[in-house]
Amino acid sequence: MDSLQAALRVAGSGLSAQSARLRVVSENLANAQSTGATPGADPYRRKTITFENTFDQVAGQDVVAVKSVGEDPSAFQVQQDPGNPAADEKGAVKMPNVNMISEMSDMREANRSYEADLQVIKQSRDLISMTIDLLKGSS
C-alpha cells in the first residue's frame, strides 16, 4: 500500500500546483484590461508561475511544487485613447502585457493536468479499497 499512498501524495502535489497555476491565469485574465491609475502609469503586469521538483521524504518520491510567481518582463501594448484617465499627454495608454489566447491555452492545459491528477487519486483510492476488501475476505 505504500506505493499507492505515494501515488496519492504525488498526485496531490500536482493538484496543488495546477490550482496555483489556475489562480495565476485567473488573475491575469481578470486584469487584462487594467490600466494604470494615473496618466502614463504602468498597467497590470502579467504574472508567471514556475514549478520545481522537490523530494517528499514521507512519500519517498519527487513531487511538484511552486518555485515562484513572477512577472512577465515583456513590453506593454500602447493604444490611443485620449479619454482614458491613464492616457498620457499624447493620448496614449499603456495596456497590460496579457495575451488572452495564451492565457486561455494555459488555463486549458492546467485544467487537463488537474483532471489527470484527479483520475490518479480516484484510481489509487479504488485500488486501496479493493486491497482492503481482498484482505477482509481472506481472514
Side-chain angles (χ1 to χ4, degrees):
M1 279 245 244
D2 289 338
S3 58
L4 290 175
Q5 290 173 342
L8 287 170
R9 279 190 172 70
V10 171
S13 74
L15 287 176
S16 178
Q18 295 308 324
S19 292
R21 184 177 181 190
L22 284 169
R23 183 188 54 78
V24 169
V25 168
S26 297
E27 184 178 335
N28 289 339
L29 288 171
N31 289 292
Q33 297 297 315
S34 298
T35 60
T38 58
D42 284 346
Y44 173 82
R45 186 169 290 278
R46 179 180 178 265
K47 302 278 189 294
T48 60
I49 189 165
T50 307
F51 301 111
E52 68 179 346
N53 289 334
T54 59
F55 187 74
D56 183 339
Q57 295 288 345
V58 176
Q61 296 287 318
D62 283 333
V63 296
V64 66
V66 174
K67 181 178 182 179
S68 66
V69 176
E71 292 185 342
D72 182 352
S74 64
F76 297 120
Q77 298 293 323
V78 178
Q79 294 180 352
Q80 288 297 320
D81 186 4
N84 191 312
D88 63 14
E89 62 278 349
K90 297 177 186 172
V93 179
K94 292 181 192 176
M95 298 302 291
N97 57 348
V98 175
N99 180 323
M100 298 292 275
I101 294 171
S102 173
E103 296 302 323
M104 296 300 286
S105 176
D106 275 354
M107 182 173 24
R108 182 171 294 204
E109 186 178 330
N111 187 41
R112 286 183 177 157
S113 294
Y114 190 93
E115 287 175 1
D117 288 325
L118 274 178
Q119 285 300 97
V120 169
I121 289 172
K122 287 177 185 177
Q123 188 67 40
S124 296
R125 189 185 63 204
D126 289 347
L127 289 172
I128 289 170
S129 292
M130 288 169 37
T131 303
I132 290 171
D133 289 344
L134 185 64
L135 291 171
K136 282 182 184 177
S138 66
S139 45

